[in-house]
Amino acid sequence: MRVIFIGRLHPIKGIERLFAALARQQEHVTLDIYGSGASAYEATLRRQVDVLQLGARVCFHGHVDDEGKAQAFSKADVMCLPSHSENFGIVVGEALAHGVPVVTTTGTPWEGLETERCGFWVQPDEEALTEALARLEDCDLSAMGARGRKWMRRDFSEDGVVNAMLSLYRERLSIQR
């Protein structure tokens, strides 16, 4: 299973927990990291990969633009955002729009992953990430990805947002009458 992380390399993103969870997965589970950050922190991440003996399973690709993201999503089975805290975490929506299931934490506002059945929304700790990644081994990732894509089209596409705003305006107008 090919897991990807796309984002800024920063301690708030929880990448260290993802490494620890990966170390507890079967050896065919790999991680591709797309993003950049402070060189000292990147060096810390690379050292942790070495300490956990994950060198053959983790690949750092550096920063990617939109085309690079699309290529990364096309090669991924799952996207993981193990953040401590996110205002939104747009990469979650991007992954889902590309049909890639997502694992993220309750530090993000993506609880819909569970209700839409297109990923897992877990506690921001190593154990929860470990369990979520292991559970994915028994999931139909293609079906999860299709449900995620459908959700993004329904609720986050231009038409979806316009329809939601129209409904809100209609509701507010009927309350004021």
Side-chain angles (χ1 to χ4, degrees), residues 96-111:
L96 294 170
H98 281 89
V100 178
V102 173
V103 173
T104 193
T105 68
T106 55
T108 73
W110 287 96
E111 61 271 14

Side-chain angles (χ1 to χ4, degrees), residues 2 4-5 9 31-36 46 58-64 72 75:
R2 190 168 183 179
I4 63 172
F5 168 89
L9 304 185
L31 174 62
D32 288 291
I33 298 176
Y34 298 88
S36 59
R46 290 176 189 276
V58 175
C59 185
F60 290 86
H61 297 274
H63 176 78
V64 289
K75 297 174 185 174

Side-chain angles (χ1 to χ4, degrees), residues 46-79:
R46 290 176 189 276
R47 278 192 302 278
Q48 186 178 13
V49 167
D50 290 340
V51 167
L52 294 171
Q53 299 178 339
L54 294 173
R57 296 172 56 196
V58 175
C59 185
F60 290 86
H61 297 274
H63 176 78
V64 289
D65 57 14
D66 289 339
E67 184 179 318
K69 278 188 200 178
Q71 289 175 1
F73 289 131
S74 74
K75 297 174 185 174
D77 296 309
V78 175
M79 197 282 295

